[in-house]
Amino acid sequence: MEVQQTAAPIRGAEEAKQKIVFSGVQPSGKLTLGNYLGAIGNWVGMQQDYRCIFSVMNLHSITVRQDPAALRRQTLEVLAQYIACGIDPAKSLLFIQGHVSAHAELAWILNCYTMFGELSRMTQFKDKSKQHADNVNAGLFTYPVLMAADILLYHTDLVPVGQDQKQHVEIARDIAERFNGVYGDVFTIPEPMIVRSGAKIMSLADPTKKMSKSDPNQNAYVLLTDKPEDILRKFKRAVTDSGSEIRRGEDKPGVNNLINIYCAATGSTPEQVEQQFVGKGYGDFKMAVGEAVVEVLRPVREKTEDLLKNKDYLEQVYTEGAFQAARLADRTLEKVYKKVGFLAKPKR
């Protein structure tokens, strides 16, 4: 693979008018169909209309104990999958979070402008505290502050999130408004960007839960790197509901999930799906959904494999991305340092 220009350049005055989008995924495991249809796949289209900044969020991943070698490998895999899914390093800024120290530095400062009660009400802290009761660490508690730093460093206008992550954008807004209230116009106040279609892909084994790469049941999720035969097998085993009609309904969480996946994979509407499968049973429908997913993920899997064979190219992407991101982030951090009364950092 030929190494081409990477890392989107800092843009001129006209391009700077574009709204800034920031998002990222943790490398705490392999990416799933839910990550693709609910997040990364939607980012691809945003590159035409927004100034996009996407990060591999490795600092966030260590609130849960990680195997160091696996974390390093998965960080590179996630970067490769971003590109394989259609994130273009020449259009978007791609970097690894831990390579830009301003994220951790700003997070500490923002911790001092975040109330204990705000953090204690965060749904994710409550959920993860139950899941990892033997490791309820301070990082898990202050996780939303680091997320706020991620967002605010780049004067982000829009944060693409699912409904379950909207609370994190809201607390970032609260922190930014509190800081601005003391020191003036420092941070841009971000807005959540909720993507409706395919925004929440549920578990194939329990459609009342979100599809998660951390699910102990391997049949509950589809990985972007799964082979076609594995994808079809998982959809054949997907949980459905009583009855046999392919229709949406409050009493049909399994079918709702499969319709949602099929729509996201094919571009169909739910009404078209219901019409297409009139008179057909769950077996036919699950096979059709599985085949649609196979075709959507085939080029992603193949390109990921190709990219991971070219480590030099991936290193160039994340190195140039880190330089670009640090340049932007340091501007914000310098302003924050001055506002709170810190001496400016010595120039190297």
Side-chain angles (χ1 to χ4, degrees), residues 123-135:
T123 303
Q124 188 165 357
F125 172 70
K126 295 175 183 177
D127 292 343
K128 287 203 170 184
S129 295
K130 293 176 182 176
Q131 294 171 14
H132 306 281
D134 60 337
N135 184 28

Side-chain angles (χ1 to χ4, degrees), residues 293-335:
V293 169
V294 165
E295 293 311 310
V296 165
L297 295 186
R298 188 188 304 279
V300 175
R301 185 186 74 254
E302 291 174 352
K303 188 166 185 180
T304 298
E305 292 171 355
D306 186 40
L307 286 164
L308 288 171
K309 293 174 185 175
N310 194 335
K311 298 291 199 303
D312 289 344
Y313 172 74
L314 293 175
E315 183 177 354
Q316 181 179 345
V317 170
Y318 71 66
T319 299
E320 293 185 8
F323 289 149
Q324 291 282 345
R327 190 182 306 177
L328 296 173
D330 286 348
R331 290 177 187 171
T332 303
L333 192 63
E334 286 173 10
K335 188 172 184 179

Side-chain angles (χ1 to χ4, degrees), residues 52-318:
C52 294
I53 303 173
F54 300 121
S55 180
V56 182
M57 313 300 279
N58 60 334
L59 296 181
H60 285 291
S61 65
I62 62 169
T63 58
V64 176
R65 295 288 175 260
Q66 303 289 336
D67 174 76
L71 182 58
R72 282 189 288 270
R73 183 183 67 253
Q74 288 161 189
T75 298
L76 206 59
E77 288 174 354
V78 169
L79 180 68
Q81 288 176 333
Y82 278 1
I83 300 169
C85 288
I87 303 300
D88 185 349
K91 294 179 180 178
S92 297
L93 178 51
L94 274 176
F95 71 101
I96 295 168
Q97 181 192 26
H99 290 171
V100 180
S101 60
H103 287 254
E105 294 177 66
L106 182 59
W108 167 250
I109 295 172
L110 296 183
N111 268 318
C112 301
Y113 295 83
T114 306
M115 300 300 106
F116 184 91
E118 290 176 309
L119 294 176
S120 65
R121 291 191 292 272
M122 298 300 290
T123 303
Q124 188 165 357
F125 172 70
K126 295 175 183 177
D127 292 343
K128 287 203 170 184
S129 295
K130 293 176 182 176
Q131 294 171 14
H132 306 281
D134 60 337
N135 184 28
V136 185
N137 56 70
L140 189 62
F141 188 68
T142 60
Y143 178 104
V145 184
L146 177 57
M147 187 175 288
D150 301 331
I151 295 166
L152 299 178
L153 274 172
Y154 301 98
H155 295 284
T156 302
D157 297 293
L158 298 167
V159 185
V161 290
Q163 284 290 348
D164 58 332
Q165 287 288 323
K166 186 179 177 183
Q167 192 180 34
H168 287 108
V169 182
E170 291 170 347
I171 196 171
R173 287 172 55 86
D174 291 341
I175 295 168
E177 288 170 349
R178 182 175 297 123
F179 195 94
N180 286 356
V182 176
Y183 299 109
D185 188 16
V186 178
F187 296 122
T188 298
I189 308 301
E191 296 282 350
M193 177 193 285
I194 307 296
V195 181
R196 301 297 177 186
S197 177
K200 194 170 186 179
I201 304 300
M202 310 304 284
S203 163
L204 298 182
D206 181 358
T208 64
K209 299 192 307 182
K210 188 176 179 180
M211 182 179 286
S212 172
K213 56 195 172 188
S214 61
D215 196 310
N217 183 353
Q218 294 186 1
N219 291 314
Y221 54 82
V222 173
L223 299 176
L224 300 192
T225 53
D226 274 348
K227 295 178 180 178
E229 58 269 27
D230 294 327
I231 294 172
L232 293 175
R233 174 178 51 78
K234 289 179 180 182
F235 275 99
K236 284 179 183 178
R237 297 179 179 179
V239 170
T240 47
D241 314 287
S242 58
S244 59
E245 291 181 291
I246 313 302
R247 63 168 177 79
R248 293 164 293 163
E250 292 184 5
D251 60 333
K252 286 184 171 288
V255 174
N256 290 342
N257 188 39
L258 293 176
I259 289 176
N260 196 24
I261 293 171
Y262 191 78
C263 288
T266 64
S268 303
T269 66
E271 293 77 14
Q272 289 171 333
V273 176
E274 290 174 338
Q275 185 62 36
Q276 180 181 347
F277 290 94
V278 168
K280 296 184 179 179
Y282 288 158
D284 291 336
F285 182 49
K286 289 196 285 187
M287 181 59 68
V289 179
E291 289 172 348
V293 169
V294 165
E295 293 311 310
V296 165
L297 295 186
R298 188 188 304 279
V300 175
R301 185 186 74 254
E302 291 174 352
K303 188 166 185 180
T304 298
E305 292 171 355
D306 186 40
L307 286 164
L308 288 171
K309 293 174 185 175
N310 194 335
K311 298 291 199 303
D312 289 344
Y313 172 74
L314 293 175
E315 183 177 354
Q316 181 179 345
V317 170
Y318 71 66

Side-chain angles (χ1 to χ4, degrees), residues 330-346:
D330 286 348
R331 290 177 187 171
T332 303
L333 192 63
E334 286 173 10
K335 188 172 184 179
V336 169
Y337 267 41
K338 183 176 181 180
K339 291 291 186 181
V340 300
F342 292 171
L343 290 174
K345 288 184 176 182

